[in-house]
Amino acid sequence: MAAVYKSLSKTNGHKDEVPKHKQRVLILSSRGVTHRHRHLLNDLYSLLPHSRRESKLDTKTKLYQLNELAELYNCNNVVFFEARKGKDLYIWMSKAPNGPTVKMHLQNLHTMSELHFPGNCLKGSRPILSFDATFDTQPHLLVIKELLMHVFAVPKGARKTKPFVDHVMGFTLADGKVWTRCFQIDETEVSKADAKTNGNDGSTIVKGKSSKGARAETKFSLTEIGPRFVLTPIVILESSFGGPVIYENKEFVSPNQVRSELRLSKAGRYARRTKAGVESKVKKRELGLRSGEGRRQREGDELEERVLFA
């Protein structure tokens, strides 16, 4: 009877069907990721109910194979984490199969379990995306904003989603980097004494009606959930994991270059110390303060005891 009722309700119902925006995200990494990188993947997978997790990719050069994996799993967005030397982590975001693709360097990573954030949210709920106004100033920032929206915006009616909105994901642009944070939306009813503060602690107080019909004031505040990380854009490609370069960050300095300069500075200090030591030895030898070869021989005196009483 239930099946008959459902079929009749579908035929007789006149509900306005909202067009579904089918967005599925494929999340995977390369080999060589550390435990902190794996924890980040787990956090993102738990925050994105419309995502699909895949095992590690064996290659780091033939990234066009990710388009085939996305087509195989019916995903139109790909997030690929590339680890280098067990230290550096790069993130690729692509709109499969036609692009574009953005490559960014991930820094200042803090996972959910690392700093024990006090916030929490319902698993499977949809987030509110908050973007800095600076994203609308330049064309390449608009491309990055659009890719972030396609990846992190959970569509309504997606698989494993729940009809709740209880957290906010914020993307702020500062110093040419994208700072990412995730916050829980705390909603509590406040008393009259607390309402007099009028949100002096950074929260927002909204007047409305409670479940019993009486007027009540609700206090909204944000509590960080995690993870938090910083993304530095490097390059934007026209197609998916390939094609011509449409934007390149000239100010980006590779972490390998930074480590190389640090080693050269340490080597320069060692060379200066060694040179100063050699010069000190040469000076002491010229003054006759050191025994051995290179010591200046003094001229003999005829009145010395070893000459008179020889």
Side-chain angles (χ1 to χ4, degrees), residues 28 30 42 52 59 72 78 98 129 145-146 153 155 159 168 179 195 200 212 229 272 301 303:
L28 72 164
S30 65
N42 294 333
R52 168 69 184 247
T59 179
L72 180 64
V78 180
N98 298 323
L129 300 186
K145 177 182 176 181
E146 191 70 21
R159 57 185 288 270
V168 180
W179 301 70
N200 292 333
K212 298 181 180 179
F229 49 87
R272 288 192 294 271
D301 189 1
L303 299 178

Side-chain angles (χ1 to χ4, degrees), residues 5 7 24 61 64 67 71 78-79 89-90 105 134 148 164 192 199 213 234 259 271 274 287:
Y5 175 76
S7 62
R24 294 194 65 185
T61 56
Y64 58 85
N67 296 324
E71 184 180 2
V78 180
V79 179
L89 184 64
Y90 298 90
H105 182 218
T134 317
L148 291 173
F164 301 104
K192 295 182 179 180
I234 301 176
R259 288 191 291 266
T274 306
L287 295 176

Side-chain angles (χ1 to χ4, degrees), residues 1-13:
M1 293 297 294
V4 175
Y5 175 76
K6 288 183 179 179
S7 62
L8 291 176
S9 61
K10 287 182 180 179
T11 56
N12 298 331

Side-chain angles (χ1 to χ4, degrees), residues 4-178:
V4 175
Y5 175 76
K6 288 183 179 179
S7 62
L8 291 176
S9 61
K10 287 182 180 179
T11 56
N12 298 331
H14 299 282
K15 295 183 179 180
D16 296 334
E17 295 184 358
V18 180
K20 293 184 179 181
H21 300 281
K22 295 183 179 179
Q23 298 287 341
R24 294 194 65 185
V25 183
L26 179 64
I27 301 178
L28 72 164
S29 65
S30 65
R31 296 200 176 274
V33 294
T34 62
H35 66 284
R36 300 179 72 245
H37 301 162
R38 288 195 300 270
H39 292 171
L40 174 63
L41 264 69
N42 294 333
D43 295 344
L44 292 180
Y45 180 70
S46 61
L47 287 175
L48 303 177
H50 65 304
S51 61
R52 168 69 184 247
R53 189 172 179 180
E54 181 56 24
S55 59
K56 298 177 182 178
L57 189 69
D58 291 332
T59 179
K60 294 183 181 180
T61 56
K62 302 177 182 179
L63 297 183
Y64 58 85
Q65 297 178 358
L66 294 171
N67 296 324
E68 301 176 1
L69 285 175
E71 184 180 2
L72 180 64
Y73 292 110
N74 195 21
C75 297
N76 51 4
N77 299 285
V78 180
V79 179
F80 176 65
F81 292 89
E82 181 183 0
R84 296 284 184 88
K85 297 184 178 181
K87 303 176 182 178
D88 308 324
L89 184 64
Y90 298 90
I91 180 173
W92 295 75
M93 293 185 184
S94 174
K95 187 70 178 176
N98 298 323
T101 304
V102 59
K103 179 184 179 181
M104 294 182 283
H105 182 218
L106 195 146
Q107 296 173 292
N108 300 339
L109 169 63
H110 299 285
T111 60
M112 290 183 180
S113 59
E114 192 172 271
L115 295 181
H116 304 286
F117 292 109
N120 193 8
C121 67
L122 183 66
K123 188 172 183 179
S125 60
R126 301 171 60 213
I128 297 175
L129 300 186
S130 174
F131 288 93
D132 191 1
T134 317
F135 279 96
D136 299 330
T137 56
Q138 298 182 16
H140 71 277
L141 296 178
L142 287 172
V143 176
I144 296 175
K145 177 182 176 181
E146 191 70 21
L147 284 172
L148 291 173
M149 287 178 60
H150 282 274
V151 170
F152 291 99
V154 180
K156 186 176 181 180
R159 57 185 288 270
K160 298 182 181 180
T161 57
K162 294 180 176 60
F164 301 104
V165 177
D166 60 353
H167 63 283
V168 180
M169 295 196 70
F171 301 94
T172 307
L173 195 68
D175 299 331
K177 306 176 187 296
V178 181

